[in-house]
């Protein structure tokens, strides 16, 4: 309900809604995402996790939404998908599946300043945010590997962002 209300409010401005949620939440909201009147951008590869792989619950729904052009996806935050530091290479199959589903609906973001775990609703008693020192070049190399070719990489880094953000 709130997504629909927000979409109605922001639609006249040409804005989009960005959602950072896990796969279970994305799957639960799939009908709302499908019918949203503004673009929906799912952050951090839609909340997929590397360890359970491509058959994890909710991933098929995510691929269906993306494949049908019903959402946009940020292929960023490999360290949120994978726990395997320092290279996060096990996130690549997830990113490749997203590229295969619809390379026209993928965008990338740095996700800087690379926050570690943090409270969803911080309070004065919450510990300070932890910043992770990650190699942005290595994260871009992961994206390039998942994209598979220069044209797809350019689409994700430049062309799709221009389309989504209107520049």
């Amino acid at each position: 309900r709130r997504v629909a209300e927000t979409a109605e409010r922001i639609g006249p401005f040409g804005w989009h809604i960005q959602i950072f949620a896990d796969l279970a939440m994305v799957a639960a909201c799939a009908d709302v995402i499908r019918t949203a009147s503004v673009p929906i951008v799912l952050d951090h590869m839609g909340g997929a996790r590397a360890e359970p792989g491509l058959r994890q619950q909710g991933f098929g729904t995510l691929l269906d939404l993306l494949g049908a052009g019903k959402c946009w996806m940020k292929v960023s935050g490999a360290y949120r998908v994978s726990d395997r530091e320092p290279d996060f290479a096990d996130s690549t199959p997830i990113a490749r599946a997203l590229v295969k589903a619809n390379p026209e609906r993928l965008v990338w973001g740095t996700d800087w300043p690379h926050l570690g775990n943090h409270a969803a609703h911080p309070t004065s008693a919450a510990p300070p945010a932890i910043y992770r020192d990650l190699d942005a070049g290595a994260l871009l190399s992961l994206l390039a590997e998942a994209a598979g070719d220069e044209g797809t990489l350019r689409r994700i880094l430049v062309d799709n962002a221009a389309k989504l953000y209107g520049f």
Side-chain angles (χ1 to χ4, degrees), residues 49-84:
R49 299 285 302 151
E51 187 179 321
L54 302 179
R55 296 194 175 159
Q56 63 191 288
Q57 191 160 0
F59 195 60
T61 301
L62 183 72
L63 293 177
D64 290 345
L65 288 167
L66 182 62
K70 297 299 182 182
C71 68
W72 291 81
M73 184 82 49
K74 280 196 177 173
V75 282
S76 60
Y79 63 93
R80 295 192 183 279
V81 174
S82 169
D83 294 324
R84 293 192 186 163

Side-chain angles (χ1 to χ4, degrees), residues 95-167:
R96 277 191 188 131
L98 298 172
V99 169
K100 184 177 177 185
N102 192 345
E104 301 291 329
R105 288 295 188 129
L106 302 177
V107 294
W108 185 78
T110 65
D111 201 37
W112 185 85
H114 309 298
L115 288 173
N117 292 334
H118 53 87
H121 303 286
T123 65
S124 60
I130 298 168
Y131 297 93
R132 298 172 71 172
D133 185 20
L134 299 176
D135 182 343
L139 294 172
L140 269 171
S141 292
L142 276 178
L143 175 64
E145 183 181 338
D149 61 76
E150 284 186 34
T152 302
L153 182 61
R154 178 181 168 77
R155 196 175 300 138
I156 294 167
L157 291 173
V158 179
D159 303 334
N160 294 348
K163 188 184 309 179
L164 176 63
Y165 299 113
F167 56 82

